[in-house]
Amino acid sequence: MSRKKVKLAYIQNHTTRKLTFKKRKKGFMKKMSEITTLCDVEACAIVYGQNDTQPEVWPSPSGVQGTYAKFRTMPSMEQTKKQLNMETFLRQRIDKAKDQLRKQKKENREKEMSILMSQCLTGRSLHDLSMGDLTDLGWVVDHKVEDINRKVKKVHDELAWNGSNQVQVVPTQPPPPAISVGTMNMQQTQSQAAPMEIMTLQDQQPQQQMGAIGANTGDDFLPFGDQNHQSLWSNIPYYP
């Protein structure tokens, strides 16, 4: 469970204030011991209480005197470099509060001008605005336009980068159609039977020619004669 934030203000209740002092003083001494052990530094503490007759000293009176004597031997510039009095502390707090107030006013003004810009987009007139309001409104509009252009450029750059790094997918060739065992046997049978049929036709062609020569004894087929029906041996005498 987180510790509740305590308001840094004077505790009005005497009993509560006394218990808080006792508790915080013990924790403070413990922190001093831890910082000297962990960081190897010299430190001392002197705590005065409202109801205490003697101040509480850590680590011991001799240790406090030695640390104080070492501090006094340092140059004055080094002694006062990180020291703050009440006036300087309050001045720093005031400057910090002013800075926070200036930032908050700027944020409120930007939100106000953003609302005014939205109203102008819906039809509100600009004639009733002062020069300061118009200047601030123009600054907000320019800021919004720059923000939009920046986002558009970022989107374009991301799209260009993704497009340049895309992997080109090459379509694969479809696999050959599956052939069953019966179809493969039929193709092999046809490829083996085709040469036999060709050879059979080539063997039958000379026989048909020879049969035609023997059967045709007229003038329809003249393998050794000319077109005038003259034989090559027409000069040989004929004896009936």
Side-chain angles (χ1 to χ4, degrees):
M1 183 176 180
S2 60
R3 182 179 299 177
K4 184 175 66 174
K5 187 176 181 180
V6 180
K7 183 180 179 180
L8 295 179
Y10 180 73
I11 301 175
Q12 299 294 335
N13 193 322
H14 178 72
T15 304
T16 305
R17 184 174 64 251
K18 187 175 181 180
L19 293 175
T20 303
F21 172 73
K22 183 178 180 180
K23 181 179 178 181
R24 293 300 180 95
K25 182 178 67 173
K26 183 178 179 181
F28 175 71
M29 296 301 180
K30 182 179 179 181
K31 291 296 181 182
M32 293 292 293
S33 176
E34 291 176 355
I35 193 173
T36 54
T37 303
L38 297 175
C39 302
D40 192 18
V41 296
E42 294 185 16
C44 63
I46 301 175
V47 181
Y48 286 94
Q50 293 180 353
N51 301 323
D52 296 337
T53 57
Q54 295 292 333
E56 187 169 351
V57 180
W58 187 92
S60 61
S62 59
V64 171
Q65 292 178 2
T67 304
Y68 179 73
K70 187 176 181 180
F71 173 75
R72 295 296 297 176
T73 57
M74 295 174 61
S76 58
M77 183 64 67
E78 294 292 332
Q79 293 180 11
T80 59
K81 183 172 62 175
K82 296 183 179 181
Q83 287 184 358
L84 292 176
N85 53 15
M86 185 58 64
E87 181 181 0
T88 306
F89 175 74
L90 292 176
R91 191 179 300 278
Q92 290 182 358
R93 294 293 299 271
I94 292 172
D95 293 340
K96 185 177 180 180
K98 287 182 178 179
D99 189 23
Q100 293 177 354
L101 179 62
R102 184 174 62 255
K103 291 181 179 179
Q104 190 64 43
K105 285 183 177 180
K106 183 180 178 181
E107 292 179 1
N108 295 339
R109 185 63 175 174
E110 290 180 4
K111 292 180 180 179
E112 182 181 356
M113 291 297 103
S114 298
I115 295 173
L116 181 60
M117 180 182 64
S118 301
Q119 294 176 355
C120 293
L121 293 175
T122 56
R124 176 179 175 177
S125 177
L126 300 176
H127 297 289
D128 57 341
L129 298 179
S130 63
M131 186 58 65
D133 293 340
L134 292 175
T135 304
D136 294 341
L137 180 61
W139 182 87
V140 171
V141 171
D142 293 339
H143 183 71
K144 296 293 184 181
V145 170
E146 291 178 359
D147 192 15
I148 292 173
N149 292 333
R150 192 182 306 109
K151 291 181 179 180
V152 170
K153 184 178 181 301
K154 182 179 179 181
V155 171
H156 287 171
D157 294 341
E158 291 179 356
L159 292 176
W161 186 83
N162 293 332
S164 61
N165 292 338
Q166 278 185 351
V167 179
Q168 296 182 357
V169 179
V170 180
T172 58
Q173 296 182 358
I179 302 176
S180 61
V181 178
T183 306
M184 186 180 299
N185 295 334
M186 185 180 297
Q187 292 178 357
Q188 294 178 358
T189 305
Q190 292 178 358
S191 62
Q192 294 176 2
M196 296 177 63
E197 293 178 357
I198 295 173
M199 294 176 62
T200 305
L201 293 174
Q202 291 178 358
D203 295 340
Q204 291 177 0
Q205 185 175 1
Q207 297 178 3
Q208 293 178 359
Q209 292 180 359
M210 292 177 64
I213 294 173
N216 192 354
T217 55
D219 296 335
D220 294 336
F221 189 79
L222 298 174
F224 300 106
D226 54 4
Q227 295 179 359
N228 295 325
H229 304 283
Q230 294 180 359
S231 176
L232 294 177
W233 297 279
S234 57
N235 56 355
I236 299 177
Y238 171 71
Y239 299 95

